Amino acid sequence: EAEVAQSPRYKITEKSQAVAFWCDPISGHATLYWYRQILGQGPELLVQFQDESVVDDSQLPKDRFSAERLKGVDSTLKIQPAELGDSAMYLCASSPVGGRARNEQFFGPGTRLTVL
Amino acid sequence: DAKTTQPPSMDCAEGRAANLPCNHSTISGNEYVYWYRQIHSQGPQYIIHGLKNNETNEMASLIITEDRKSSTLILPHATLRDTAVYYCIVRSVNNDMRFGAGTRLTVKP
């Protein structure tokens, strides 16, 4: 069964450093999402792509966070500089545009970031 | 999107049905009810969704009240592997998914 791939699974960094997370969605899925999940809370949407275009980045802290999906396939989320409060799980999800499955988002395993 | 209210935690005996409630009294006519679950250290997993009719799949059943202000997710025969956080979400098809804190279900032997 196809899955959303994310790497790395774990990342430890010091504050002020730059970090990057990678996501490879399920093949053929045009919509890609990045979420942040703080411990004990539900996931919070950061950015949504439709192919290579950003559909919604209203919750993305643009002073330090950036996301791209240049060829409309895989995606990178970057934080520069990282702050202590950025420690969280970063989840990527994808969904197809049409068909019944468009109602379902398929999540990857996430990247757990710890900022020291 | 309408907000949802779920109990923070529930216990269930293994082999028994787990009934997880969700209140969504401000749901709009075009908003669906979705359920996801998140097992520890994994990404959320889709379970089921519905608009106004009850739905059933291989994982669970979703019962939506006639006024659509509340719903119940039913796991008919809970196993230890069903221990997870269960999220109830209401959204229209093209709107983003807004997760709350969910219900932490613990299935006990």
Side-chain angles (χ1 to χ4, degrees):
Chain A
E1 184 175 310
E3 296 180 343
V4 175
Q6 290 189 247
S7 68
R9 291 293 311 275
Y10 304 91
K11 178 69 177 179
I12 299 174
T13 190
E14 294 183 345
K15 63 179 181 178
S16 304
Q17 297 299 304
V19 292
F21 314 129
W22 177 79
C23 171
D24 191 12
I26 293 173
S27 178
H29 282 194
T31 309
L32 184 147
Y33 311 82
W34 282 102
Y35 289 85
R36 176 173 60 187
Q37 184 173 25
I38 296 170
L39 192 64
Q41 300 180 18
E44 170 196 21
L45 180 69
L46 292 175
V47 61
Q48 177 183 342
F49 288 91
Q50 185 73 29
D51 299 309
E52 67 277 6
S53 300
V54 173
V55 173
D56 181 2
D57 63 356
S58 57
Q59 300 302 313
L60 188 71
K62 299 180 186 64
D63 57 335
R64 299 184 298 108
F65 286 65
S66 64
E68 60 183 18
R69 194 184 182 197
L70 295 177
K71 297 183 179 179
V73 180
D74 58 336
S75 176
T76 302
L77 178 69
K78 297 179 181 179
I79 308 175
Q80 182 174 16
E83 296 180 352
L84 296 178
D86 296 330
S87 293
M89 176 77 85
Y90 289 83
L91 293 159
C92 179
S94 69
S95 64
V97 173
R100 178 174 174 80
R102 76 183 189 281
N103 292 303
E104 178 180 349
Q105 293 186 19
F106 297 80
F107 283 81
T111 296
R112 179 161 298 282
L113 172 67
T114 301
V115 182
L116 303 176
Chain B
D1 287 345
K3 292 183 178 179
T4 63
T5 304
Q6 298 179 254
S9 64
M10 291 182 62
D11 291 343
C12 177
E14 186 179 19
R16 305 297 294 269
N19 298 289
L20 291 91
C22 179
N23 286 323
H24 32 79
S25 59
T26 60
I27 192 170
S28 300
N30 65 342
E31 289 181 319
Y32 289 74
V33 180
Y34 288 77
W35 284 84
Y36 279 72
R37 74 179 182 184
Q38 188 171 24
I39 296 170
H40 183 63
S41 296
Q42 298 182 20
Q45 175 192 23
Y46 167 85
I47 302 173
I48 199 167
H49 77 281
L51 183 61
K52 52 185 176 181
N53 297 324
N54 297 338
E55 301 286 344
T56 295
N57 63 20
E58 65 278 4
M59 290 182 68
S61 295
L62 173 60
I63 309 299
I64 303 174
T65 58
E66 191 169 345
D67 62 7
R68 302 210 321 125
K69 293 185 177 182
S70 65
S71 61
T72 301
L73 179 74
I74 301 173
L75 308 179
H77 305 286
T79 70
L80 298 179
R81 286 179 291 183
D82 292 322
T83 292
V85 177
Y86 288 77
Y87 297 101
C88 170
I89 302 156
V90 292
R91 67 182 278 250
S92 55
V93 172
N94 295 318
N95 286 350
D96 56 294
M97 197 84 68
R98 293 178 185 267
F99 291 81
T103 295
R104 181 173 297 279
L105 175 69
T106 302
V107 181
K108 298 184 174 181

